[in-house]
Amino acid sequence: MKKMKMHEYLTELNSTEDGFSEESMYLRFTDSLLEQAVRSRSSDVHVEPLDGGGARIRFRIDASLKTQMVIGRNIASKLAIRLKCLAGVDLTDSKRAQEGSFAFSCLNREISVRYSALPTSSGQKVVMRIFDPLTYTRDLQDLGFTDSDYLLFSQMLRRKSGLILITGGTGSGKSTTCFSALRQISTEALSLVSIEDPVEVRLPFITQFQTDCACDFAYLLTMILRQDPDVIFLGEIRDEESARAAVRAGNTGHLVLSTIHASDCFSVPSRLGELGIRPQVLSEVLTGVISQRLMRRICPHCALQVPPDTGDILAQRGCYRSTGCPACRHTGVLGQKGLYEVLPYDRELISLVTGKTKPARLRREAEARGWVSKKKKITEEVACGSISINEGRRLLNEGMV
């Protein structure tokens, strides 16, 4: 029997001539919706209620939301019930925030989904975050590192102890970088463990632990340190407890990889200082910092080269624009890649990490030794045609580089 697509199920929902019951068609529509999200590389699925009933369904693809369809009241109601069942939340409660999770099989792999629902004036809005294991098991070298940055990061990962921190905004790909790095160093000779809150993607090359109310962070780390780990991944340093735990583990003969929210590589020491880590202690454990964000790749199928423009700093060496085509869904964008800054904290740089040292001084010292900022790398990405001139301007105008 031919497998129908999501739009085809909509036309068949009130018909039983094909041998399927109406209820079966609703189930198949939900399954098709989730499968299409995975096939289109969506990171999030938004189901947004409309006034008068019905809902709009949008996928976030390559950092941008795009409407997939608008469904009527009856279908929206059935879809909401089906998603609640999958997520394991109360079917009768639509007046309060709800959270849940579920997994499903698609394209021969298990996809994890985080479910969130919030009441609005028009009904419950549902957002589902899609966790595809393929995203978290990519080769580290394919994420967007320059050759020199890849070499620096690989050298950090070969250390037997220390603390490597990755910083960037929400949705900047920090988890992908961390898990790709762990995958690269994973061998039979090493014991890799993680502490996550929660574990959202199960990975075969690492033993994953989840914090919960019955087992707090500090106690769990204490017990894990007795399990003879070589490498520890801490999902996020978000408070004094997790900061102390990361430093402690890095100072006791373990390589620790974690994420932290800071504006750039040079702000990490001061951020850890705010969390109670003394500069003298940090100087003994900090190995390096990676700052990152995501860039939208230009679609190679519709990219057009534009002559150099000496009056435009981004276009002085030539650039590319995209016209849009079926391959990129007429967006001009096809996939994303990382934009990285890699900063090893060697003896000379770490000696500047004191309570009074400002990030600007660390930056000047790093630049004097050849460190390359994201701004300079954007110019290179535009010139080589990896991203469009418009994407380069967007990145610079957002002020996050």
Side-chain angles (χ1 to χ4, degrees), residues 125-150:
K125 176 183 177 180
V126 173
V127 176
M128 294 176 287
R129 170 63 56 90
I130 307 295
F131 296 97
D132 188 339
L134 281 187
T135 302
Y136 298 92
T137 55
R138 297 170 60 188
D139 289 338
L140 188 63
Q141 202 164 8
D142 295 336
L143 297 184
F145 288 96
T146 63
D147 291 342
S148 57
D149 282 347
Y150 174 75

mmCIF file of all heavy atoms in Angstrom, residues 125-150:
data_model
loop_
_atom_site.group_PDB
_atom_site.id
_atom_site.type_symbol
_atom_site.label_atom_id
_atom_site.label_comp_id
_atom_site.label_asym_id
_atom_site.label_seq_id
_atom_site.Cartn_x
_atom_site.Cartn_y
_atom_site.Cartn_z
ATOM 1 N N LYS A 125 -0.740 26.440 23.043
ATOM 2 C CA LYS A 125 0.304 26.400 22.027
ATOM 3 C C LYS A 125 1.287 25.299 22.390
ATOM 4 O O LYS A 125 1.743 25.208 23.533
ATOM 5 C CB LYS A 125 1.054 27.730 21.936
ATOM 6 C CG LYS A 125 2.217 27.671 20.948
ATOM 7 C CD LYS A 125 3.023 28.949 20.881
ATOM 8 C CE LYS A 125 4.205 28.785 19.927
ATOM 9 N NZ LYS A 125 5.021 30.009 19.815
ATOM 10 N N VAL A 126 1.617 24.463 21.427
ATOM 11 C CA VAL A 126 2.527 23.346 21.639
ATOM 12 C C VAL A 126 3.801 23.564 20.828
ATOM 13 O O VAL A 126 3.744 23.930 19.651
ATOM 14 C CB VAL A 126 1.868 22.005 21.223
ATOM 15 C CG1 VAL A 126 2.877 20.866 21.272
ATOM 16 C CG2 VAL A 126 0.680 21.701 22.119
ATOM 17 N N VAL A 127 4.930 23.370 21.481
ATOM 18 C CA VAL A 127 6.220 23.395 20.793
ATOM 19 C C VAL A 127 6.945 22.098 21.124
ATOM 20 O O VAL A 127 7.060 21.723 22.293
ATOM 21 C CB VAL A 127 7.082 24.599 21.209
ATOM 22 C CG1 VAL A 127 8.454 24.523 20.549
ATOM 23 C CG2 VAL A 127 6.390 25.901 20.838
ATOM 24 N N MET A 128 7.425 21.436 20.094
ATOM 25 C CA MET A 128 8.166 20.189 20.266
ATOM 26 C C MET A 128 9.587 20.362 19.748
ATOM 27 O O MET A 128 9.784 20.738 18.595
ATOM 28 C CB MET A 128 7.466 19.040 19.530
ATOM 29 C CG MET A 128 6.117 18.678 20.104
ATOM 30 S SD MET A 128 5.262 17.401 19.144
ATOM 31 C CE MET A 128 4.770 18.363 17.689
ATOM 32 N N ARG A 129 10.559 20.103 20.602
ATOM 33 C CA ARG A 129 11.963 20.132 20.201
ATOM 34 C C ARG A 129 12.350 18.727 19.721
ATOM 35 O O ARG A 129 12.136 17.735 20.426
ATOM 36 C CB ARG A 129 12.836 20.570 21.375
ATOM 37 C CG ARG A 129 14.340 20.420 21.173
ATOM 38 C CD ARG A 129 14.895 21.264 20.059
ATOM 39 N NE ARG A 129 14.632 22.677 20.182
ATOM 40 C CZ ARG A 129 15.444 23.529 20.808
ATOM 41 N NH1 ARG A 129 16.544 23.080 21.406
ATOM 42 N NH2 ARG A 129 15.146 24.820 20.841
ATOM 43 N N ILE A 130 12.907 18.654 18.525
ATOM 44 C CA ILE A 130 13.272 17.381 17.916
ATOM 45 C C ILE A 130 14.749 17.106 18.176
ATOM 46 O O ILE A 130 15.607 17.931 17.852
ATOM 47 C CB ILE A 130 13.015 17.392 16.389
ATOM 48 C CG1 ILE A 130 11.567 17.825 16.095
ATOM 49 C CG2 ILE A 130 13.317 16.037 15.784
ATOM 50 C CD1 ILE A 130 10.519 16.871 16.587
ATOM 51 N N PHE A 131 15.046 15.953 18.747
ATOM 52 C CA PHE A 131 16.426 15.557 19.011
ATOM 53 C C PHE A 131 16.763 14.353 18.136
ATOM 54 O O PHE A 131 16.422 13.217 18.453
ATOM 55 C CB PHE A 131 16.627 15.207 20.485
ATOM 56 C CG PHE A 131 16.428 16.374 21.414
ATOM 57 C CD1 PHE A 131 15.207 16.561 22.055
ATOM 58 C CD2 PHE A 131 17.454 17.275 21.641
ATOM 59 C CE1 PHE A 131 15.018 17.646 22.904
ATOM 60 C CE2 PHE A 131 17.277 18.360 22.499
ATOM 61 C CZ PHE A 131 16.053 18.545 23.125
ATOM 62 N N ASP A 132 17.418 14.632 17.035
ATOM 63 C CA ASP A 132 17.818 13.592 16.100
ATOM 64 C C ASP A 132 19.252 13.180 16.421
ATOM 65 O O ASP A 132 20.156 14.020 16.400
ATOM 66 C CB ASP A 132 17.734 14.130 14.666
ATOM 67 C CG ASP A 132 17.957 13.059 13.619
ATOM 68 O OD1 ASP A 132 18.551 12.012 13.947
ATOM 69 O OD2 ASP A 132 17.535 13.267 12.468
ATOM 70 N N PRO A 133 19.501 11.908 16.737
ATOM 71 C CA PRO A 133 20.866 11.497 17.100
ATOM 72 C C PRO A 133 21.891 11.773 16.015
ATOM 73 O O PRO A 133 23.080 11.943 16.318
ATOM 74 C CB PRO A 133 20.723 9.993 17.375
ATOM 75 C CG PRO A 133 19.433 9.584 16.749
ATOM 76 C CD PRO A 133 18.551 10.789 16.813
ATOM 77 N N LEU A 134 21.469 11.860 14.756
ATOM 78 C CA LEU A 134 22.423 12.166 13.695
ATOM 79 C C LEU A 134 23.058 13.541 13.883
ATOM 80 O O LEU A 134 24.212 13.769 13.517
ATOM 81 C CB LEU A 134 21.739 12.102 12.320
ATOM 82 C CG LEU A 134 21.500 10.731 11.713
ATOM 83 C CD1 LEU A 134 20.979 10.871 10.300
ATOM 84 C CD2 LEU A 134 22.769 9.898 11.718
ATOM 85 N N THR A 135 22.290 14.457 14.466
ATOM 86 C CA THR A 135 22.803 15.807 14.709
ATOM 87 C C THR A 135 23.940 15.789 15.712
ATOM 88 O O THR A 135 24.884 16.589 15.624
ATOM 89 C CB THR A 135 21.675 16.714 15.225
ATOM 90 O OG1 THR A 135 20.616 16.738 14.274
ATOM 91 C CG2 THR A 135 22.170 18.136 15.448
ATOM 92 N N TYR A 136 23.868 14.863 16.662
ATOM 93 C CA TYR A 136 24.840 14.845 17.756
ATOM 94 C C TYR A 136 25.981 13.857 17.532
ATOM 95 O O TYR A 136 26.814 13.671 18.419
ATOM 96 C CB TYR A 136 24.123 14.511 19.066
ATOM 97 C CG TYR A 136 23.092 15.535 19.439
ATOM 98 C CD1 TYR A 136 21.765 15.399 19.039
ATOM 99 C CD2 TYR A 136 23.438 16.661 20.168
ATOM 100 C CE1 TYR A 136 20.811 16.356 19.360
ATOM 101 C CE2 TYR A 136 22.500 17.618 20.500
ATOM 102 C CZ TYR A 136 21.190 17.459 20.099
ATOM 103 O OH TYR A 136 20.255 18.407 20.406
ATOM 104 N N THR A 137 26.024 13.225 16.384
ATOM 105 C CA THR A 137 27.082 12.250 16.115
ATOM 106 C C THR A 137 27.828 12.596 14.826
ATOM 107 O O THR A 137 28.326 11.720 14.133
ATOM 108 C CB THR A 137 26.502 10.829 16.022
ATOM 109 O OG1 THR A 137 25.447 10.796 15.041
ATOM 110 C CG2 THR A 137 25.951 10.376 17.360
ATOM 111 N N ARG A 138 27.871 13.861 14.496
ATOM 112 C CA ARG A 138 28.614 14.293 13.308
ATOM 113 C C ARG A 138 30.105 14.346 13.602
ATOM 114 O O ARG A 138 30.527 14.475 14.754
ATOM 115 C CB ARG A 138 28.115 15.672 12.862
ATOM 116 C CG ARG A 138 26.657 15.689 12.431
ATOM 117 C CD ARG A 138 26.157 17.109 12.230
ATOM 118 N NE ARG A 138 26.934 17.811 11.208
ATOM 119 C CZ ARG A 138 26.787 19.111 10.959
ATOM 120 N NH1 ARG A 138 25.930 19.831 11.660
ATOM 121 N NH2 ARG A 138 27.502 19.688 10.014
ATOM 122 N N ASP A 139 30.917 14.248 12.561
ATOM 123 C CA ASP A 139 32.360 14.377 12.734
ATOM 124 C C ASP A 139 32.689 15.802 13.159
ATOM 125 O O ASP A 139 32.174 16.770 12.594
ATOM 126 C CB ASP A 139 33.087 14.045 11.433
ATOM 127 C CG ASP A 139 33.034 12.561 11.104
ATOM 128 O OD1 ASP A 139 32.820 11.768 12.036
ATOM 129 O OD2 ASP A 139 33.210 12.203 9.922
ATOM 130 N N LEU A 140 33.555 15.917 14.135
ATOM 131 C CA LEU A 140 33.906 17.234 14.671
ATOM 132 C C LEU A 140 34.443 18.151 13.574
ATOM 133 O O LEU A 140 34.154 19.350 13.547
ATOM 134 C CB LEU A 140 34.950 17.063 15.782
ATOM 135 C CG LEU A 140 35.303 18.302 16.598
ATOM 136 C CD1 LEU A 140 34.090 18.800 17.363
ATOM 137 C CD2 LEU A 140 36.434 17.979 17.572
ATOM 138 N N GLN A 141 35.183 17.589 12.632
ATOM 139 C CA GLN A 141 35.800 18.389 11.587
ATOM 140 C C GLN A 141 34.779 18.938 10.596
ATOM 141 O O GLN A 141 35.074 19.873 9.849
ATOM 142 C CB GLN A 141 36.844 17.556 10.846
ATOM 143 C CG GLN A 141 37.896 18.380 10.113
ATOM 144 C CD GLN A 141 39.096 17.553 9.728
ATOM 145 O OE1 GLN A 141 39.106 16.341 9.861
ATOM 146 N NE2 GLN A 141 40.144 18.222 9.248
ATOM 147 N N ASP A 142 33.564 18.373 10.604
ATOM 148 C CA ASP A 142 32.523 18.807 9.663
ATOM 149 C C ASP A 142 31.624 19.906 10.220
ATOM 150 O O ASP A 142 30.700 20.360 9.541
ATOM 151 C CB ASP A 142 31.654 17.611 9.247
ATOM 152 C CG ASP A 142 32.430 16.578 8.457
ATOM 153 O OD1 ASP A 142 33.451 16.945 7.853
ATOM 154 O OD2 ASP A 142 32.024 15.396 8.458
ATOM 155 N N LEU A 143 31.871 20.337 11.457
ATOM 156 C CA LEU A 143 30.966 21.291 12.101
ATOM 157 C C LEU A 143 31.206 22.730 11.674
ATOM 158 O O LEU A 143 30.336 23.573 11.850
ATOM 159 C CB LEU A 143 31.080 21.185 13.623
ATOM 160 C CG LEU A 143 30.683 19.846 14.249
ATOM 161 C CD1 LEU A 143 30.751 19.938 15.773
ATOM 162 C CD2 LEU A 143 29.296 19.416 13.804
ATOM 163 N N GLY A 144 32.403 23.023 11.135
ATOM 164 C CA GLY A 144 32.676 24.391 10.708
ATOM 165 C C GLY A 144 33.979 24.964 11.235
ATOM 166 O O GLY A 144 34.276 26.144 10.989
ATOM 167 N N PHE A 145 34.770 24.164 11.953
ATOM 168 C CA PHE A 145 36.053 24.650 12.456
ATOM 169 C C PHE A 145 37.015 24.920 11.293
ATOM 170 O O PHE A 145 37.051 24.162 10.317
ATOM 171 C CB PHE A 145 36.699 23.618 13.384
ATOM 172 C CG PHE A 145 36.044 23.475 14.717
ATOM 173 C CD1 PHE A 145 35.112 22.480 14.955
ATOM 174 C CD2 PHE A 145 36.368 24.339 15.760
ATOM 175 C CE1 PHE A 145 34.509 22.336 16.186
ATOM 176 C CE2 PHE A 145 35.773 24.206 17.004
ATOM 177 C CZ PHE A 145 34.842 23.206 17.219
ATOM 178 N N THR A 146 37.789 25.992 11.411
ATOM 179 C CA THR A 146 38.902 26.167 10.489
ATOM 180 C C THR A 146 39.958 25.111 10.821
ATOM 181 O O THR A 146 39.938 24.501 11.903
ATOM 182 C CB THR A 146 39.518 27.568 10.621
ATOM 183 O OG1 THR A 146 40.055 27.718 11.954
ATOM 184 C CG2 THR A 146 38.477 28.647 10.375
ATOM 185 N N ASP A 147 40.881 24.892 9.918
ATOM 186 C CA ASP A 147 41.903 23.874 10.160
ATOM 187 C C ASP A 147 42.703 24.167 11.418
ATOM 188 O O ASP A 147 42.997 23.259 12.219
ATOM 189 C CB ASP A 147 42.846 23.785 8.954
ATOM 190 C CG ASP A 147 42.171 23.199 7.730
ATOM 191 O OD1 ASP A 147 41.111 22.553 7.889
ATOM 192 O OD2 ASP A 147 42.688 23.398 6.614
ATOM 193 N N SER A 148 43.063 25.439 11.616
ATOM 194 C CA SER A 148 43.862 25.793 12.791
ATOM 195 C C SER A 148 43.057 25.643 14.087
ATOM 196 O O SER A 148 43.579 25.153 15.097
ATOM 197 C CB SER A 148 44.389 27.220 12.662
ATOM 198 O OG SER A 148 43.321 28.148 12.495
ATOM 199 N N ASP A 149 41.775 26.029 14.065
ATOM 200 C CA ASP A 149 40.938 25.896 15.261
ATOM 201 C C ASP A 149 40.665 24.425 15.580
ATOM 202 O O ASP A 149 40.625 24.028 16.755
ATOM 203 C CB ASP A 149 39.609 26.631 15.063
ATOM 204 C CG ASP A 149 39.750 28.130 15.241
ATOM 205 O OD1 ASP A 149 40.796 28.565 15.757
ATOM 206 O OD2 ASP A 149 38.818 28.874 14.863
ATOM 207 N N TYR A 150 40.483 23.631 14.541
ATOM 208 C CA TYR A 150 40.276 22.195 14.747
ATOM 209 C C TYR A 150 41.504 21.568 15.415
ATOM 210 O O TYR A 150 41.371 20.741 16.328
ATOM 211 C CB TYR A 150 39.979 21.511 13.416
ATOM 212 C CG TYR A 150 39.897 19.997 13.512
ATOM 213 C CD1 TYR A 150 38.778 19.382 14.070
ATOM 214 C CD2 TYR A 150 40.944 19.196 13.055
ATOM 215 C CE1 TYR A 150 38.708 18.001 14.168
ATOM 216 C CE2 TYR A 150 40.872 17.819 13.151
ATOM 217 C CZ TYR A 150 39.749 17.222 13.702
ATOM 218 O OH TYR A 150 39.682 15.863 13.801
#
